[in-house]
Amino acid sequence: MSRIIRIFDTTLRDGEQSPGASLNVEEKIQVAHALARLKVDIIEGGFPISSPGDFEAVSRIAREIKDVTVAGLARALRKDIDACYDAVKHSESPRIHTFIATSDIHIARKFKKSREEILGMAVEAVKHAKSKLPDVEFSCEDACRTDRNYIVQVLTAVIDAGATTVNIPDTVGYTTPPEFLSLITHIRQNVPNIGRAVISVHCHNDLGLAAANSLAAVLAGAGQVECTVNGIGERAGNASLEEIVMTLRTRRDLFDCETRINTREIFRASRLVSTLTGIPVQPNKAIVGANAFAHESGIHQDGVLKDKLTYEIMRPEDIGWSESSIVLGRRSGRHAFKTRMEEMGYHLGDEQLDKAFERFKKVADQKKEIYDEDLEAIVEDEVGKLPPIYALDYVHVSSGTHTIPTATVRLKHGDDVLQESAWGDGPIDAVYNAVDLVLKMDIALLDYAIRAVSKGKDAMGEVTVKLKCKGHVVKGKGASTDIIEASAKAYVNGCNRLLHRQDTASAANGERV
Ligand code: KIV
Ligand code: ZN
C-alpha cells in the first residue's frame, strides 16, 4: 500500500505573508472552507499572537472548519504558545506549531545566544505546548543552513519533549534536491527516536526549487509537506500545493505515495486565493495557469485531437477545470441558481441569495453564457463584504482619440445622492478623480489589475485595486461585464474599506471621522 503524505497548508499563514496579500477574517474563512473542500490534512490558520485579526481568524477556523487539523504558529515563547492554544483549542483536532531558528547565523545575529540556550528554549517550548495539547509540531527555522549534528541533537531533544511532527524548513530557499534528500536521509538515519514523529518539510522558492526540494524530501521519507495554494508566500513564495499534489499523483510510479487531496477542487481554490489576495496567477504557472492546458502549436493540437495523451500528462478535469462548465443562462430560475451555488460550495442565506440572484439576472441579460467563474465573481462582489457606506449608482465616461477623458460619477450615501465630474489621464483615472471629489478623500492608487474571469468577448471583467489613505492600505474589488463599471466598483469598494478602517481607528481613539 502506498504511503499517505500529509498536506499541511499554510496559505493563511506563510501565504498571507506575501507582500500585499493581507486577508481580512471573512476572506480567511472563505479560504479555509476552500481548503476543507480540498481535504488538506492540516490548515495553518495564522500566527495568533501577531495580531488580534490573526487570533480571531485562527479561532474562527478552529470552531467552524471540521474534519481537519487546525494549527497556529507560535515562537518558542510561553506567551506565543498560550495565545496559540487559546486560538486553536476549539478545533476538533488542534495543533500548536512552535519554532525557533537553529542555524549559527540566526543564533548569533538574531538571538545573540548560544546553541545550548536555543536547545533549551526549543525543549521548554515543546514541553509547554505538550502540557496543553497532544499534537505539537516543532520547526527548526533555517534548517538547511544548520549544522547537521546540531539538527540531530535538537530533533532528538524535542521529540523526547513530546513533538509529534518535526519540520525541516528551507527558510531561505537555499537548498537543492540532492542536498535536501541527503539531509532528510541523514535525519532518518541519525535521530534515534525519529520513529516517534512525522518528518515534515517546508520549502521556500527563492531559487525556483521549492516543489522539487519538497518532492526530494518525500523520496527520502518525509511524511508531511507544507505548501500553499498557487505557491504564494514570503518573498518568492512556498512550495505550491497543486504542484506537489499533482506530481505525486501523476508520477505515482516514481513516488508510490498518495495524498488525501480532492484534486477536482484545485482550480477553484486557486482562483479564490488569487481573487481574494489580489495576486494573479501567471499564465504559464504549472497546473493552474491559464495556459497550463492550452496547446498552441499546430503539431501539438493535431496530436491532442488524435489522442490527448500525446501531449497531456494530466486532464484539466482532474483539477476541476471543466471545459464544459456553462451552467446557467438568462432563463435559469432562482432554484437552479441556488442549486448551482450549493454545488460550488456557497451556502448563502436568503438575503445573500436574493442579492446574488438579482445580480446574476442582470449579468445573464448581458452575457449569453454564465460560467462558474462568473458566478464566483458575482458572489465575491455581492456577498460577505462590509456594509457599503457609499454605493455606485451611475458612471458615465467620455474618452477617445484627441478627447480629454472625462467622467461623471454618482454615489449613494444613505438617502443622499452625490455627483461629481472630473477629467483624467484616461477614462479610469477620470472616474477615480470624480470619486475622490465626491468623497473628499486624498487616496493614492497603489495598484490596479484587471482580468477576464471567463471566456469570450462578453466575459466578466474583475478589477482589483490597492488604495492608500492616511496610512491605511486596502484592497478593493469589483466585477462587471463593463470594465469601466468594474473599475469604478473596485475603487468605491476600496474607499468603503478605507472608511471602515478609519472609522475603527478613530473609534479606538475616541473620535469620529
Ligand atoms: O520558513 C520558515 O522557516 C517558516 C517557519 C516558521 C516554519 O515559515
Ligand atoms: Zn516559511
Side-chain angles (χ1 to χ4, degrees):
M1 218 188 87
S2 345
R3 266 191 318 139
I4 296 280
I5 303 299
R6 297 180 195 186
I7 296 296
F8 176 115
D9 182 279
T10 183
T11 306
L12 293 172
R13 199 276 299 167
D14 215 325
E16 212 236 359
Q17 286 173 220
S18 308
S22 73
L23 299 171
N24 64 32
V25 175
E26 288 309 324
E27 291 168 333
K28 284 191 168 189
I29 299 293
Q30 284 190 52
V31 173
H33 278 288
L35 297 174
R37 288 194 296 268
L38 267 172
K39 299 207 180 310
V40 305
D41 298 278
I42 301 110
I43 295 177
E44 186 166 53
F47 189 178
I49 196 141
S50 68
S51 73
D54 250 40
F55 183 92
E56 191 192 337
V58 177
S59 93
R60 276 197 51 197
I61 293 168
R63 284 169 204 268
E64 288 178 32
I65 311 292
K66 305 293 174 205
D67 298 325
V68 66
T69 296
V70 177
L73 186 67
R75 288 167 300 181
L77 299 173
R78 285 180 91 88
K79 62 177 183 184
D80 280 40
I81 292 168
D82 292 342
C84 181
Y85 171 70
D86 284 338
V88 297
K89 67 184 175 197
H90 294 291
S91 164
E92 285 170 349
S93 168
R95 172 180 295 189
I96 295 173
H97 176 194
T98 185
F99 75 102
I100 195 160
T102 49
S103 63
D104 284 337
I105 181 166
H106 280 238
I107 293 178
R109 297 291 168 85
K110 221 167 76 175
F111 297 115
K112 301 191 180 12
K113 289 191 189 292
S114 64
R115 283 190 184 177
E116 291 64 35
E117 285 170 301
I118 294 296
L119 178 63
M121 286 175 72
V123 169
E124 276 317 301
V126 171
K127 281 190 180 157
H128 185 55
K130 196 71 180 181
S131 72
K132 298 192 165 270
L133 286 181
D135 189 349
V136 174
E137 171 167 338
F138 173 80
S139 288
C140 312
E141 191 190 2
D142 205 17
C144 292
R145 294 190 300 168
T146 299
D147 174 72
R148 285 192 177 190
N149 293 333
Y150 184 55
I151 289 206
V152 167
Q153 199 187 347
V154 173
L155 295 182
T156 309
V158 294
I159 295 170
D160 273 343
T164 40
T165 302
V166 286
N167 185 34
I168 314 300
D170 181 19
T171 304
V172 290
Y174 181 68
T175 198
T176 62
E179 185 184 60
F180 205 40
L181 184 136
S182 128
L183 175 62
I184 303 301
T185 307
H186 181 82
I187 288 169
R188 286 190 71 201
Q189 289 172 349
N190 292 283
V191 175
N193 51 5
I194 196 70
R196 306 213 307 259
V198 173
I199 300 179
S200 168
V201 290
H202 173 115
C203 296
H204 279 271
N205 207 27
D206 299 66
L207 293 174
L209 294 172
N213 289 335
S214 309
L215 291 162
V218 169
L219 284 177
Q224 172 178 294
V225 175
E226 303 198 355
C227 47
T228 60
V229 173
N230 298 338
I232 63 170
E234 187 80 40
R235 305 183 310 280
N238 288 63
S240 114
L241 179 146
E242 57 278 7
E243 292 171 20
I244 303 287
V245 168
M246 291 311 287
T247 304
L248 291 177
R249 180 182 153 132
T250 308
R251 296 309 309 272
R252 203 162 150 191
D253 57 324
L254 280 185
F255 291 92
D256 193 19
C257 290
E258 283 175 55
T259 69
R260 297 192 183 89
I261 296 296
N262 175 4
T263 63
R264 299 182 73 89
E265 288 289 334
I266 286 178
F267 185 63
R268 182 140 72 103
S270 159
R271 296 302 292 264
L272 181 72
V273 168
S274 168
T275 305
L276 294 180
T277 57
I279 301 178
V281 176
Q282 74 196 57
N284 57 326
K285 165 84 179 64
I287 321 291
V288 290
N291 296 345
F293 295 94
H295 301 277
E296 182 66 25
S297 114
I299 297 174
H300 287 210
Q301 288 178 349
D302 179 58
V304 169
L305 287 173
K306 288 177 176 148
D307 181 344
K308 285 191 173 195
L309 291 181
T310 52
Y311 288 100
E312 273 187 13
I313 57 166
M314 296 164 280
R315 296 174 311 163
E317 52 270 36
D318 292 340
I319 63 152
W321 191 338
S322 143
E323 276 302 305
S324 54
S325 62
I326 304 164
V327 285
L328 297 172
R330 82 173 61 170
R331 274 181 276 277
S332 307
R334 195 172 184 282
H335 186 201
F337 178 75
K338 180 173 182 229
T339 308
R340 185 65 201 133
M341 283 278 134
E342 282 172 0
E343 279 167 9
M344 291 172 64
Y346 293 109
H347 298 274
L348 307 180
D350 282 348
E351 202 182 316
Q352 292 178 323
L353 190 71
D354 285 347
K355 266 193 185 166
F357 183 61
E358 201 182 306
R359 181 72 187 283
F360 158 74
K361 281 299 209 189
K362 282 191 195 143
V363 174
D365 268 346
Q366 292 160 5
K367 195 172 182 311
K368 279 200 298 284
E369 296 161 336
I370 306 288
Y371 296 87
D372 284 356
E373 292 91 327
D374 295 314
L375 296 176
E376 269 163 16
I378 290 171
V379 177
E380 295 310 325
D381 206 33
E382 289 296 325
V383 175
K385 56 189 179 189
L386 295 164
I389 300 172
Y390 289 89
L392 181 72
D393 188 38
Y394 169 89
V395 56
H396 176 262
V397 294
S398 153
S399 81
T401 322
H402 308 306
T403 314
I404 295 176
T406 50
T408 302
V409 166
R410 201 157 62 213
L411 300 185
K412 277 196 176 158
H413 177 48
D415 293 335
D416 297 337
V417 177
L418 308 155
Q419 182 171 311
E420 288 289 353
S421 299
W423 62 273
D425 290 339
I428 293 170
D429 188 41
V431 169
Y432 290 0
N433 290 338
V435 175
D436 288 351
L437 286 179
V438 172
L439 301 182
K440 299 186 179 51
M441 285 169 77
D442 186 15
I443 298 168
L445 177 67
L446 302 184
D447 203 6
Y448 172 96
I450 182 162
R451 62 179 189 126
V453 297
S454 56
K455 289 173 282 184
K457 286 195 199 134
D458 56 358
M460 289 267 277
E462 184 181 75
V463 173
T464 309
V465 290
K466 195 188 284 179
L467 310 180
K468 185 169 182 185
C469 180
K470 293 189 182 163
H472 297 286
V473 177
V474 297
K475 284 192 309 262
K477 277 179 285 194
S480 170
T481 46
D482 176 331
I483 58 167
I484 300 287
E485 188 179 292
S487 304
K489 283 183 163 177
Y491 196 72
V492 174
N493 176 250
C495 292
N496 280 322
R497 285 173 187 235
L498 280 171
L499 288 165
H500 276 289
R501 287 270 186 101
Q502 290 175 9
D503 214 10
T504 318
S506 335
N509 294 330
E511 22 161 314
R512 300 271 325 151
V513 189

